[in-house]
Amino acid sequence: MAIKIITDTGSCITIEEAKKYDIELIPIEIIINEKSYKDQYEITNEEFYELQENLKELPKSSQPSPVVFSEIFQHAKNNNDEVVCILLSSKLSGTYNSALIAYNEVGYDKVYIIDSLSTISNQKILVLEAIKLRDNGVCGKDIYQEILKLIPRVKIYAVIDCLKYLFKGGRLSKAGYALGSVLQIKPVINLEGGTVNVIEKSIKFSKALINLGALVEFEKIDFNYPVIYGYTKTTDNMEKLIDLMNSKGITYEYSICHVPAVIGVHVGPNCCAIAYVLKENN
């Protein structure tokens, strides 16, 4: 009996990483000028961000069909394998609901579906932990339970450069967008309970980075888990964030991820983010 780990492209897991770690990567679809592309498989991050700023109509995302999950679950059922799915927050995408529909259709109780309440690099942290547990011989049900316990400890902060993408994606009110655009607001956001929240508002990106750094500076980070920085389109602002954290003496090993198109649709280019895990009982 094997343990199959599944995630979606909202997790920042690349095709190459999926092959390396022997996991299944489900593409979320990106719709550009009424044409649909499978994220990563049919359009790269680089191609998407080059197109995004010049489009008259902003791109959209669309969750995978339940059929995609049904085929995987049925194959696992036929082979008596366990399946652990770690999927993009149900409050940001219908991917989790598609998996639930498939689960009910196939009727196999060794499938464990997790609403990560996360995205990009903090969702990736959960996936990497599931892989580690699998490779250490932990069964699917126990992986499921361990990831559920980890979810509340994973945090992410990001700075948004342009508000129109949050507005068009329904994550910002019309009044908030109008005022923010006039003042050229650069918000610091986080993801709590699976939804996007504005934590700080600054007129300059440099000030927003300082505000983000202040939020992270005194956090009790658990370095048994990865620290992951993320960026959209260019690394410039992310590198400024890393330099800022280093200047505060907050140095640690980290990795970098290029935020995928499915999230870039909503946040736009030139954003940066940091994700990490808090110590227990923080």
Side-chain angles (χ1 to χ4, degrees):
M1 180 178 70
I3 299 172
K4 306 293 185 183
I5 294 176
I6 299 171
T7 192
D8 53 68
T9 49
S11 67
C12 276
I13 294 286
T14 65
I15 294 172
E16 293 74 19
E17 287 174 323
K19 291 176 181 176
K20 173 184 174 182
Y21 296 125
D22 189 24
I23 66 173
E24 188 89 27
L25 183 64
I26 306 296
I28 296 175
E29 295 193 354
I30 308 300
I31 302 168
I32 302 174
N33 293 332
E34 299 184 354
K35 183 177 180 180
S36 181
Y37 301 85
K38 292 181 179 179
D39 189 18
Q40 289 200 43
Y41 292 87
E42 295 176 344
I43 186 168
T44 66
N45 292 343
E46 291 77 13
E47 289 169 338
F48 170 76
Y49 287 113
E50 282 301 317
L51 287 170
Q52 185 183 34
E53 292 182 280
N54 298 315
L55 292 171
K56 292 182 179 179
E57 183 176 339
L58 294 180
K60 300 176 183 178
S61 59
S62 177
Q63 70 265 20
S65 163
V67 173
V68 174
F69 291 101
S70 293
E71 292 175 353
I72 297 170
F73 297 166
Q74 187 62 54
H75 186 266
K77 184 177 182 180
N78 295 342
N79 290 282
N80 196 34
D81 292 335
E82 291 186 290
V83 180
V84 179
C85 296
I86 303 174
L87 302 173
L88 180 60
S89 172
S90 63
K91 297 180 181 180
L92 300 177
S93 167
T95 304
Y96 173 74
N97 288 330
S98 288
L100 284 183
I101 292 169
Y103 172 80
N104 291 324
E105 288 178 349
V106 173
Y108 183 48
D109 62 5
K110 291 182 181 178
V111 172
Y112 305 97
I113 303 172
I114 299 172
D115 180 355
S116 72
L117 298 177
S118 303
T119 185
I120 58 171
S121 39
N122 52 346
Q123 184 182 351
K124 184 173 185 174
I125 290 172
L126 299 175
V127 176
L128 293 175
E129 181 64 13
I131 292 166
K132 184 171 75 173
L133 291 169
R134 177 202 64 187
D135 293 348
N136 286 334
V138 179
C139 70
K141 184 177 181 179
D142 288 347
I143 293 173
Y144 168 77
Q145 292 173 339
E146 289 300 315
I147 298 303
L148 287 181
K149 288 192 291 185
L150 187 60
I151 287 172
R153 295 168 53 199
V154 180
K155 296 195 73 172
I156 186 169
Y157 287 107
V159 180
I160 305 298
D161 186 48
C162 182
L163 294 177
K164 74 175 180 179
Y165 301 98
L166 282 177
F167 170 62
K168 293 291 186 180
R171 270 72 182 182
L172 184 67
S173 69
K174 187 174 183 179
Y177 171 62
L179 179 61
S181 296
V182 169
L183 297 177
Q184 296 186 327
I185 293 295
K186 312 296 182 183
V188 176
I189 65 170
N190 74 352
L191 201 64
E192 293 287 348
T195 59
V196 175
N197 306 286
V198 176
I199 306 300
E200 301 276 0
K201 299 176 183 178
S202 305
I203 294 177
K204 293 184 177 181
F205 203 100
S206 58
K207 177 60 176 174
L209 287 178
I210 292 171
N211 289 339
L212 189 159
L215 290 167
V216 177
E217 186 173 1
F218 299 106
E219 293 272 50
K220 296 179 180 178
I221 299 174
D222 189 336
F223 295 111
N224 292 307
Y225 300 91
V227 172
I228 304 178
Y229 286 95
Y231 68 96
T232 60
K233 191 175 182 180
T234 68
T235 62
D236 295 353
N237 287 326
M238 182 192 69
E239 289 169 357
K240 291 175 184 176
L241 175 59
I242 293 171
D243 289 343
L244 173 67
M245 302 309 291
N246 288 339
S247 72
K248 292 175 174 288
I250 308 171
T251 58
Y252 31 66
E253 290 186 14
Y254 61 84
S255 60
I256 291 171
C257 70
H258 194 177
V259 174
V262 62
I263 303 303
V265 163
H266 301 291
V267 300
N270 307 318
C271 299
C272 62
I274 181 173
Y276 49 89
V277 176
L278 295 174
K279 292 180 179 179
E280 288 189 90
N281 303 317
N282 184 53

